[in-house]
Structures are given as structure tokens and as C-alpha cells.
Amino acid sequence: MIDIRLIRENPDLVRRELEKRGDTFALDEILELDVRYRGFLRHSEELRAQHNETSKQLGMKKEKPPGLIAEMRLVGEQISALQQQTREARAALDALLLELPNMPHSGVPVGRSESDNVVVRTWGTPKEFAFEPLPHWELGEKLGIIDFQQGVKLSGSRFYVLKGLGAQLQRALISFMVDVHVREHGYREVYVPAMVRRECMVSSGNLPKFGDNLYRDEQDDFWFIPTAEVPLTNLHREEILKLEDLPLNYVAYTPCFRREQLAAGSDTRGIKRGHQFEKVELYKVTDPQSSDSELENLVADAEAICRKVAIPYRVAQLCTGELGFAAHKTYDIEMWAPGCGEWLEVSSCSNCSDFQARRAGIRYRPGRGAGTQFVHTLNGSGLALPRVVIAVLENYQQADGTVLVPEVLKPYLQVQSGC
RNA sequence: GGAGGGGUGGCCGAGCGGCUUAUGGCGGCGGUCUUGAAAACCGCUCUCCGAUUCCAUCGGAGCGUGGGUUCGAAUCCCACCCCCUCCGCCA
């Protein structure tokens, strides 16, 4: 959420920043509602101040004059009516504020589409194969480790079943990645619910605007998380954190659920995009001064995984038009997949500045006696599982259709050579 | 799922229609005393919103959440959320 006071005091700045995303926003309506809201609020507070004073005096009197009580009742009714108007204006204002995306960081390149993203670095060189490398769906089927038909049988399109070493490879990657982040990067491992209350989705920015992308249990109003970012954002909801406890670094492994209402046929091959997938998520809560540098640390922590599994990757900075709703600045990490011949997004690391913190009410106190301030939150995959599985299969494949096990995964797998 | 009990400031815990700007204690901070520390004593300790002459002052709100009754609600009523105990069921 953007601070209403900033919009009030500097609407042109906010408008200019938001329009970098390539869209227009209802700022005039917001400003108008804000004036209305404060008018009602001020009026009802003035009346209430008088009313409080008279009531207090009335309470001290032995004789209660009936005329005065009748008069007070009328004032009370006026206050109720004003409060109702105040509430309505506030609710309308909040509804609009919740629809505004975050403002981009000043260093984000202005642009409209993927082609305006900026590749900031590349690591490794795509391997030259002496044969035509196969896409993972062919490799997986030949090896009997990915079964698409059974996925469809159980749940429909965009579901798959991993079998034997396919399932084990994914599980090995999960353990390996979490271990690296805990032991080498200082993250605290947490296990969180995959179904959350509606307000958690509002805090993270998924609701009210993106409900169409979420699965939901209507009976109990549980919402299925599209990423661990949602529960992690809410871990400290409505808390005032101590400066000395920042930054908080969390790593969580969770399943993720996305409705992905894509056109039939797009991205349907393979396990790149499904309704359910596994992800290891990194999350940081920092003070506002540190979030810029912590984003660099976060990206480096995610990149470390790519290097350890020795798969070429590149890091792209997203342009303003590609930023997610809550994001202030984002880097994507893309691994090279020689079989499908594309750079696969395996991580998206974002500094959300105070956008989610404001929605979730997560604050800290900068110093003794100082007022509270909103923290900054950052998140990034470290990494998204099915796509790393794809990259491993396609990069480590051999001429005979078998796949070698990356060195770092050997301690985590039952086999030492490959499959 | 059934029955009962409960949610009050950082924590514990009183209050059960106006005397509460929420008693008291613990913790925390500052001070007095002391060579220093402890003890004792004194004082201070929350958040949010709005207005203005904006390092401040004034007003409003907040006792799980949201409504309601009343001139006046932490206190009474309704709904919901959460926690605890027992029973049932279950991994």
C-alpha cells in the first residue's frame, strides 16, 4: 500500500512513478475520497469531544435533567450518522488504495515488456553438446521419471507425476537448497501453513486484485498459497520489531498452488508451469536503509545454488512494466535449459520496500524514544523446484539418454552416478 | 463435532454501567544514594488517526474482532475469531 499522506502531499510524484508501469491509476478519485473522509472524521470528532464533555458532567450530577438527556440523545444520533459516513468513506478509500501497485525504485529501467529488462550478469557458458540435447519431457518419459498421463488422470492438465529418481531428484534438490541457505547463508528454516486466511493474502498483495489466480476452500475460507512469500509476510503481521533483531532471514520450503488461467496450449509441454509445484523461498525483513543492499545479498544467495549445481545462468533486472504488483525492484535469475532452448526463470528476487509492511502492519523502532516506522520486506525463490529439475535433466543429459547426478546432490541421492 | 471456561498494556493480573486520563505487580528506562554495584526510594513507560502556529500542542479512537443498547460501555446484548479443559474422532 502506498502511504495516503504521500499521495495527499505529493500526488504528482506518485502519479509519475506509478505511470512508469505503463498504466493509469485512480489518484484523483483517491484524493477526493480522502478529503471527504477527513471532513467527516473531523466533524464527528468535534461533536464527540463536546458530547464527551457534557456526558462527563452529567455523570457527576445527582439530578439528571431530562431535557439535557434528550438533547444528548439527538447529538448522539448525529454522531452515529457521521461515523457511518466516515466509515463508508474510509472503506471506499482503502479499497482504492489496496488496488494501487508499489512505486518502482529509482534505479529500475523504465520499460514496457520483457525486452526492456536488462541482463546484469551471466555466469557459465552453455555447454556444447555433441548430440542434439533433448527437452526434459522427452528425457523424463524415456527414463520413466516424469509421467504426464498419470498427472492428467489424477488432476487434469498442468499436473504431472514424478517417479523414482525423478521424485528423488526433486527431494534431493529441496534438502540441498535448504541446507545451503541455513548453513552457509544464515537463514532460519521455518515450516508454514500452505492454506491461509484471507487477510494474509491482502497483506502480501495477492488480494483483493488477484483472487482469480488463487485456489480457495470456500467452506472454511482458506486460501491456498501461490508462494511461501504469503505466509512469511504474515509471520510478523501487526508487530513492532526491535531494530537489533533486523534483518530477519527466513527460508521455507512449501508447495505452491496457482490457477494460471492461461490459454490452452501455451507452455503446456513439460513441467515448467503447473498448478502445483514446490519451491524453496528466501525472505528478509529489514530496516529501510538496508533493503537495497539486502536485495543484492538475497540474489547472491539464490545464485549460489545455481553455481553449486554448475548450471549456466543469467540475472536480469526487470523493467518498470514487468514489476510485480508489490515489487519496488526485482531481479530474475534464469537458468539455461539446452533441451527446450530457453532461459528458465528459476527465481524472482524482489525488494517490496514498505508496500507489504504497510498492508501487514509490520513496523520497527529506529531508536530509543523514536516513533515506529514500517520495515521493508524482500523475497526470492531459492529456487523454484520443477524448473531446477528441468535444468538439471537437460544440462546433465548424455548421448545415451541417461542423466548424470550433479556433484553436490550425490550425498542426497541414493545413486552415485546417474540414471 | 459436543459440553464447559476464558481473551485487559512488553508480561502477570484487578476492574463487571459514570469516582479509570484502565488499580497493583513484574520487566524496561532515567534519577537519588554509592568508590562501583546491589538494595531502597522517586519519576517515566502503548499504538493509531486527525487538526494546527508540526523537534510541540490540542482533539479523537483502541480492553480479541465487528455490530448494537445507553446521555455515558473494559463492564450489558448479538455475531464472529482465537485459546484452554473434558468427551468423541483421528495421523
Side-chain angles (χ1 to χ4, degrees):
Chain A
M1 196 144 68
I2 298 177
D3 188 356
I4 181 61
R5 278 173 290 203
L6 180 64
I7 299 175
R8 192 184 293 155
E9 283 157 25
N10 213 333
D12 293 334
L13 170 85
V14 174
R15 190 188 312 276
R16 204 179 323 123
E17 289 302 316
L18 287 182
E19 284 177 355
K20 286 183 184 170
R21 283 174 173 270
D23 208 342
T24 52
F25 301 93
L27 289 187
D28 290 329
E29 206 179 330
I30 286 173
L31 287 166
E32 205 175 294
L33 265 170
D34 180 49
V35 170
R36 265 172 70 80
Y37 161 68
R38 282 181 298 144
F40 288 137
L41 182 66
R42 192 176 170 180
H43 194 178
S44 74
E45 283 185 353
E46 280 168 1
L47 267 185
R48 183 173 279 268
Q50 295 170 23
H51 192 261
N52 283 349
E53 181 55 33
T54 314
S55 269
K56 203 171 170 182
Q57 287 171 7
L58 196 55
M60 291 185 292
K61 283 187 183 150
K62 280 197 208 95
E63 300 290 320
K64 318 284 190 203
L68 187 54
I69 286 183
E71 193 185 314
M72 294 297 285
R73 181 182 294 133
L74 279 175
V75 177
E77 280 164 12
Q78 279 179 52
I79 293 173
S80 295
L82 271 169
Q83 277 180 323
Q84 183 59 28
Q85 287 175 300
T86 309
R87 266 201 298 268
E88 283 167 9
R90 179 78 221 191
L93 179 60
D94 284 341
L96 289 180
L97 286 173
L98 286 172
E99 302 261 333
L100 288 185
N102 200 359
M103 294 189 289
H105 185 281
S106 58
V108 176
V110 177
R112 293 201 155 263
S113 68
E114 202 180 330
S115 57
D116 297 314
N117 294 346
V118 177
V119 174
V120 293
R121 61 185 164 270
T122 304
W123 182 90
T125 317
K127 189 177 158 188
E128 293 294 332
F129 287 85
F131 54 94
E132 186 64 27
L134 298 176
H136 68 282
W137 55 85
E138 285 184 30
L139 280 169
E141 282 190 315
K142 279 187 179 165
L143 293 167
I145 60 173
I146 306 177
D147 194 321
F148 296 100
Q149 288 175 353
Q150 286 187 327
V152 171
K153 175 155 81 178
L154 299 185
S155 308
S157 72
R158 296 189 194 284
F159 287 93
Y160 50 85
V161 172
L162 297 181
K163 298 168 152 180
L165 285 165
Q168 285 175 44
L169 172 61
Q170 170 160 284
R171 187 158 53 85
L173 278 165
I174 292 164
S175 294
F176 160 69
M177 295 192 296
V178 172
D179 284 351
V180 169
H181 294 310
V182 169
R183 292 172 192 164
E184 298 178 24
H185 302 151
Y187 289 78
R188 177 141 206 243
E189 184 175 358
V190 287
Y191 169 81
V192 292
M195 294 151 74
V196 297
R197 298 168 182 285
R198 167 187 250 109
E199 55 258 44
C200 292
M201 290 291 184
V202 175
S203 297
S204 59
N206 295 81
L207 286 178
K209 226 179 163 182
F210 307 102
D212 285 353
N213 296 326
L214 301 171
Y215 287 106
R216 174 189 173 198
D217 162 53
E218 295 215 355
Q219 207 162 359
D220 295 319
D221 200 29
F222 280 129
W223 296 72
F224 288 51
I225 61 170
T227 160
E229 175 194 343
V230 175
L232 292 172
T233 298
N234 286 276
L235 236 34
H236 298 288
R237 179 150 47 97
E238 302 299 335
E239 286 183 16
I240 299 170
L241 302 169
K242 293 189 191 124
L243 178 60
E244 59 264 35
D245 292 336
L246 302 180
L248 294 166
N249 301 303
Y250 293 113
V251 56
Y253 153 64
T254 67
C256 302
F257 304 94
R258 297 187 183 180
R259 287 190 68 211
E260 303 280 11
Q261 298 174 297
L262 295 172
S266 59
D267 274 335
T268 44
R269 307 225 51 190
I271 60 172
K272 179 180 162 188
R273 195 184 284 272
H275 289 309
Q276 173 184 331
F277 64 98
E278 311 299 289
K279 187 154 62 69
V280 171
E281 183 78 358
L282 302 175
Y283 199 90
K284 286 175 181 281
V285 179
T286 77
D287 64 86
Q289 290 69 42
S290 313
S291 67
D292 264 333
S293 59
E294 287 293 349
L295 177 62
E296 302 302 322
N297 293 337
L298 184 70
V299 176
D301 293 336
E303 281 181 67
I305 300 293
C306 305
R307 291 176 191 239
K308 281 174 189 282
V309 293
I311 290 174
Y313 70 89
R314 62 183 193 186
V315 179
Q317 181 176 9
L318 298 194
C319 71
T320 51
E322 288 274 291
L323 284 179
F325 183 72
H328 182 53
K329 180 177 181 178
T330 299
Y331 294 106
D332 276 2
I333 301 175
E334 301 169 329
M335 273 183 171
W336 175 245
C340 32
E342 63 176 310
W343 292 94
L344 282 179
E345 183 189 326
V346 293
S347 179
S348 189
C349 301
S350 300
N351 177 0
C352 293
S353 65
D354 64 358
F355 185 82
Q356 292 177 323
R358 223 172 255 290
R359 289 172 164 245
I362 312 167
R363 292 163 287 167
Y364 81 108
R365 202 179 295 284
R368 267 178 42 76
T372 61
Q373 270 188 42
F374 289 103
V375 297
H376 281 194
T377 60
L378 299 86
N379 67 82
S381 333
L383 307 162
L385 263 305
R387 296 188 181 176
V388 181
V389 170
I390 294 173
V392 168
L393 293 178
E394 295 189 3
N395 279 281
Y396 283 85
Q397 64 179 297
Q398 301 179 98
D400 62 359
T402 62
V403 174
L404 294 174
V405 174
E407 206 52 41
V408 288
L409 294 183
K410 287 185 177 172
Y412 292 91
L413 275 170
Q414 306 303 310
V415 289
Q416 292 303 299
S417 52
C419 62

